[in-house]
Amino acid sequence: MKKLLAVLLVIAMMMGLTACASDQSSKDTKTGSDSSTNQTTTSPSSTDQSGKDGAIDTSEHVVITYMVTGDKPSISATDEMMAELNKILTEKVNAELQIYYIGWTDYLSNYNLTLAQMDGSVDLVGTASDWLDAWPNSKNGAFMKLSEDMLKTYAPKTWESVSADHWELCKYDGDIYLIPEDNYAQWTNHGFIYRLDWAKEAGLANGVHSWEDMTTYFRYVKQAYPDIIPWDSDGTHHSQLASGWIASHSNFVAIDGIASGALWGGTKDDLYTIITPSYTETQMMVDFANLMKEWDSIGVWKTDVLNNTASSNRDDYRIGRVAAEQHHTQTWTDLVSKTNNNTIYQTDPDAASGFFYFGEETKNVVSLSITHGAMAISAASKNPERALMVYDLLRNDPECYRLFNYGIEGRQWELNEDGLRQQPASYNKDKDEIVTNFWWGRNDDLEIKDASRDWAAIDALYAEYDKIKIDYPYGQFVPNVDNIQSQINNINEVHTNYMKQIAFGKFQGTAEQIVAEYQAALKAAGIEEVTAELQRQFDELYKK
């Protein structure tokens, strides 16, 4: 009897140890911990571990959740496309994909709250260093560290397509956290979209190429088309106007992501000495204030512009009710094209759209950061390896790529005789539109050009950009703002309050007076202390 009890005790102890080991393995997988230098053999879940022959075990079917910003579509077309996609994903990697949408209302708070729950409900996470807190979430442990072995094993095509330099720009504190969208041509530099035909009527034979030209254009539109609002701004464009003016009158290069006004940065001549032109370049800002006061007196915008929350300026541009739209190049590529939505080209055969980009006068154009769109893996993902395998297919497999980005061939898209992508005659947006918002892995090697776009105009502008652009230089800079965040918040508030007045000419007194008040308020809010701290961090990273 004693022997039997002893044997039973040993068995119980062994079962307890096995359970502990299993529990610890589960914790390691959920938190993305890396207890070995070879993460592909210690971090993967039990069903995904590579076998001795190097094969990846995908015997268990898993569901991968992709979290994305954007409103969930109310029609079933996306679900129907996903059903087709999931047949392919199941066949190739025995996984299926579902989309978790973070609606645009209060999107950043809801996005970060979902990540912070760490409950394993999401796997793939669309993120960005300049508008979706990619680096803070990396720092705070919301994203999983991605070892080279893990990427090579589970996302081999993506690993091969991204250069070593670009992988370096996806590291925080020496570890890779992001997968960059680095093989997709897009430009999000801002400027004014305007009626090129009206500009020519105004005597601007070659269109608008400076702020002075823009003034001439607005003045002409107000006189020649009195029923037209030149630019029905909703009053939220103050920071873009100010930063656009600075880009056009200096060689300033802003650092993304520190403050909404992009106040800090270097210059093309001295990238790593931090300045704030709106604080130090007084005459430049006085000239800006004077010009904006002139635009206000011309009647470029409504008199209640600062309280205008109901503007539909872009849609109004499409139908000829306004003369300009302020946004980025990608928006112009739509508005310049003769799509069904842009009825100005149907009602007026002479209609044409130009683009005056900020920085044009000084040839100051910076290409988009490769982490403006990036993919991350949630640190709480239960299946990070399979998530990488799914992402590798979405980014690199032609069939998966076209389904996920364009929809079902024959329903959402088809090829025309020139090999361009167009909507079938039967397409109805109200029942056929798909929404995946895959802004984190688009790939020019697999893109099919949209037949509705004016590629002659677009390619010409892109070629112009390519001649003068510089690469975004601060991709590796992850500012530690813990000790200066309150000052940054105060500076943001000062900038917003004053720049609304300055950028829309709604200030009392002279331009010199309002700029002096603004700069004094920035100083009182701590801009010099913040600049000094950012410079210290710059020196540690770039001036070793």
Side-chain angles (χ1 to χ4, degrees):
M1 185 68 179
K2 290 181 179 179
K3 291 182 178 180
L4 178 59
L5 289 173
V7 170
L8 291 173
L9 180 61
V10 169
I11 292 173
M13 292 174 65
M14 292 177 66
M15 291 179 65
L17 288 172
T18 302
C20 290
S22 175
D23 181 62
Q24 183 59 48
S25 175
S26 175
K27 289 180 180 177
D28 287 348
T29 299
K30 289 179 180 179
T31 60
S33 63
D34 187 3
S35 57
S36 166
T37 56
N38 185 358
Q39 192 170 355
T40 60
T41 59
T42 60
S43 176
S45 58
S46 59
T47 59
D48 278 350
Q49 289 177 344
S50 298
K52 291 181 180 179
D53 60 355
I56 299 172
D57 182 0
T58 58
S59 57
E60 180 182 347
H61 185 77
V62 300
V63 177
I64 299 301
T65 300
Y66 155 58
M67 189 174 91
V68 65
T69 48
D71 295 327
K72 184 177 181 178
S74 59
I75 57 178
S76 62
T78 302
D79 293 334
E80 292 161 13
M81 176 278 294
M82 290 294 290
E84 295 299 311
L85 175 68
N86 282 328
K87 291 177 186 177
I88 301 169
L89 296 178
T90 297
E91 178 185 351
K92 291 181 179 290
V93 295
N94 200 17
E96 63 183 273
L97 186 69
Q98 64 182 15
I99 304 177
Y100 181 80
Y101 296 88
I102 300 291
W104 286 121
T105 301
D106 201 19
Y107 71 91
L108 188 57
S109 296
N110 292 327
Y111 174 93
N112 286 328
L113 179 61
T114 302
L115 284 177
Q117 290 172 354
M118 296 292 285
D119 57 2
S121 61
V122 297
D123 303 285
L124 291 169
V125 182
T127 190
S129 58
D130 50 355
W131 65 282
L132 274 178
D133 287 352
W135 294 130
N137 281 312
S138 299
K139 176 184 176 183
N140 296 334
F143 295 154
M144 182 176 290
K145 296 178 183 178
L146 303 174
S147 72
E148 291 188 10
D149 285 343
M150 191 177 186
L151 290 163
K152 290 175 183 176
T153 302
Y154 300 108
K157 290 185 177 180
T158 300
W159 172 260
E160 291 172 2
S161 69
V162 177
S163 69
D165 288 344
H166 284 185
W167 282 122
E168 282 296 319
L169 296 177
C170 294
K171 290 182 178 180
Y172 174 75
D173 200 22
D175 294 302
I176 296 171
Y177 284 91
L178 309 178
I179 304 174
E181 185 180 73
D182 65 339
N183 191 39
Y184 179 73
Q186 61 176 326
W187 290 93
T188 58
N189 56 313
H190 278 246
F192 276 107
I193 302 147
Y194 64 91
R195 288 286 296 268
L196 179 59
D197 51 323
W198 291 355
K200 291 179 179 179
E201 291 176 14
L204 301 167
N206 296 318
V208 173
H209 297 286
S210 69
W211 288 76
E212 290 73 18
D213 287 349
M214 203 75 216
T215 305
T216 300
Y217 172 72
F218 279 144
R219 192 181 299 280
Y220 171 80
V221 167
K222 192 65 179 178
Q223 294 170 351
Y225 300 93
D227 295 333
I228 294 290
I229 301 172
W231 175 36
D232 188 18
S233 176
D234 63 6
T236 64
H237 299 91
H238 48 277
S239 287
Q240 291 162 355
L241 284 172
S243 60
W245 175 265
I246 290 170
S248 293
H249 294 83
S250 72
N251 58 4
F252 179 67
V253 180
I255 304 168
D256 291 337
I258 298 175
S260 59
L263 297 173
W264 290 278
T267 65
K268 289 198 293 184
D269 298 325
D270 187 0
L271 287 169
Y272 304 113
T273 298
I274 296 180
I275 61 171
T276 302
S278 61
Y279 177 62
T280 59
E281 300 301 318
T282 301
Q283 189 57 51
M284 182 192 299
M285 300 312 296
V286 167
D287 292 342
F288 175 61
N290 277 323
L291 184 64
M292 295 302 97
K293 178 68 81 171
E294 183 179 351
W295 283 17
D296 185 50
S297 67
I298 290 172
V300 169
W301 39 69
K302 291 179 179 177
T303 56
D304 65 344
V305 60
L306 297 183
N307 298 315
N308 182 8
T309 60
S311 172
S312 55
N313 188 82
R314 189 172 306 166
D315 289 336
D316 286 342
Y317 184 88
R318 297 181 191 277
I319 62 178
R321 289 184 181 172
V322 299
E325 164 71 343
Q326 191 283 132
H327 210 248
H328 53 59
T329 302
Q330 291 296 111
T331 301
W332 168 79
T333 65
D334 173 23
L335 296 181
V336 75
S337 303
K338 296 179 180 179
T339 66
N340 292 334
N341 291 331
N342 299 332
T343 60
I344 52 173
Y345 305 115
Q346 300 162 24
T347 58
D348 184 350
D350 295 325
S353 294
F355 189 60
F356 162 55
Y357 58 90
F358 298 148
E360 183 169 353
E361 301 97 313
T362 51
K363 302 188 185 305
N364 185 7
V365 175
V366 181
S367 61
L368 190 65
S369 168
I370 62 171
T371 53
H372 172 76
M375 189 66 81
I377 305 293
S378 169
S381 170
K382 296 181 177 68
N383 297 286
E385 305 82 12
R386 205 79 67 89
L388 283 172
M389 296 170 76
V390 168
Y391 175 77
D392 207 40
L393 288 170
L394 296 178
R395 177 177 175 132
N396 302 291
D397 180 86
E399 189 176 14
C400 293
Y401 186 90
R402 290 169 185 175
L403 264 173
F404 200 53
N405 286 282
Y406 307 145
I408 298 171
E409 187 173 3
R411 178 175 177 183
Q412 276 86 22
W413 67 281
E414 63 185 10
L415 292 178
N416 68 11
E417 59 185 11
D418 297 318
L420 300 176
R421 177 172 48 89
Q422 66 182 17
Q423 293 172 344
S426 61
Y427 181 85
N428 181 335
K429 181 177 179 180
D430 292 336
K431 65 182 183 68
D432 294 322
E433 183 181 39
I434 67 163
V435 179
T436 61
N437 294 350
F438 190 56
W439 303 318
W440 343 92
R442 289 169 293 183
N443 183 353
D444 276 339
D445 294 339
L446 299 180
E447 280 287 310
I448 306 173
K449 284 186 172 181
D450 185 343
S452 70
R453 295 293 187 263
D454 184 346
W455 288 106
I458 295 167
D459 288 343
L461 182 60
Y462 282 11
E464 183 177 338
Y465 285 165
D466 284 338
K467 291 178 182 178
I468 62 176
K469 72 176 182 180
I470 66 168
D471 291 335
Y472 178 71
Y474 307 127
Q476 283 185 291
F477 181 56
V478 185
N480 182 347
V481 298
D482 293 348
N483 295 329
I484 53 175
Q485 188 61 62
S486 62
Q487 291 166 299
I488 291 174
N489 293 342
N490 292 337
I491 292 164
N492 256 332
E493 184 176 1
V494 167
H495 180 74
T496 297
N497 290 340
Y498 276 92
M499 202 49 65
K500 282 182 176 180
Q501 302 173 60
I502 294 171
F504 289 102
K506 298 297 185 183
F507 54 87
Q508 301 298 316
T510 66
E512 288 81 2
Q513 289 170 334
I514 192 66
V515 170
E517 287 182 26
Y518 165 64
Q519 292 177 340
L522 287 176
K523 182 175 183 178
I527 195 167
E528 293 179 356
E529 291 79 6
V530 170
T531 301
E533 173 56 23
L534 293 174
Q535 185 64 62
R536 184 190 67 78
Q537 295 180 31
F538 249 39
D539 292 346
E540 287 184 355
L541 178 62
Y542 295 117
K543 297 185 178 182
K544 293 179 180 179

